[in-house]
Amino acid sequence: QVQLVESGGDLVQNGGSLRLSCHAPGTIWRRNIGRWYRQQPGKQRELIATIRDESNTATYSDAVRGRFTISLADDKKTMYLQMNGLKPEDTAVYYCNAERTRFPQYNYMGQGTQVTVSS
């Protein structure tokens, strides 16, 4: 089992910025898929950003498009989520994910990092 470790969560003011990182022990995202999810208080976990290394494409949920950017480090061992223009409704636990759909398949999720945006 591969352990993904998120970092960068913090308390920030409305309109502020944060960068979350997700670290893996190997090149887990090379030619594979990375995602960021979040779970707001009292709500189900939701997908907010996806990146596909092979095509170098990224997609976002409507809630974060234009404010958040997902990216991968050149060594494919770290994934980032740059969050700008933060709002109180962005308060959530943020989780990173790594998925490989070809053999050998895998799907790993991190333990989460708390982001709190004060109004």
Side-chain angles (χ1 to χ4, degrees):
Q1 181 74 11
V2 170
Q3 187 170 9
L4 304 181
V5 180
E6 298 101 337
S7 61
D10 205 344
L11 171 63
V12 64
Q13 289 187 339
N14 189 14
S17 297
L18 281 176
R19 188 176 79 159
L20 304 184
S21 300
C22 179
H23 304 279
T27 57
I28 199 168
W29 287 286
R30 188 178 302 281
R31 301 181 63 201
N32 295 316
I33 302 167
R35 299 183 179 91
W36 284 98
Y37 293 83
R38 70 182 182 188
Q39 187 163 17
Q40 297 161 305
K43 296 186 178 181
Q44 290 188 327
R45 190 175 299 183
E46 63 172 336
L47 174 64
I48 58 171
T50 302
I51 188 165
R52 297 176 183 273
D53 182 52
E54 276 195 305
S55 59
N56 194 28
T57 55
T59 57
Y60 301 92
S61 68
D62 290 343
V64 307
R65 188 178 298 113
R67 300 186 297 125
F68 291 10
T69 303
I70 187 172
S71 63
L72 295 171
D74 288 343
D75 64 6
K76 312 301 182 183
K77 294 181 179 180
T78 304
M79 182 171 67
Y80 302 103
L81 185 69
Q82 177 66 43
M83 306 187 292
N84 299 328
L86 283 162
K87 307 173 184 179
E89 51 264 43
D90 293 319
T91 295
V93 178
Y94 285 73
Y95 301 87
C96 62
N97 165 267
E99 182 181 13
R100 176 181 171 90
T101 57
R102 304 181 306 280
F103 182 83
Q105 297 174 337
Y106 54 72
N107 195 320
Y108 301 123
M109 187 79 77
Q111 295 300 305
T113 186
Q114 176 71 46
V115 172
T116 303
V117 184
S118 64
S119 57

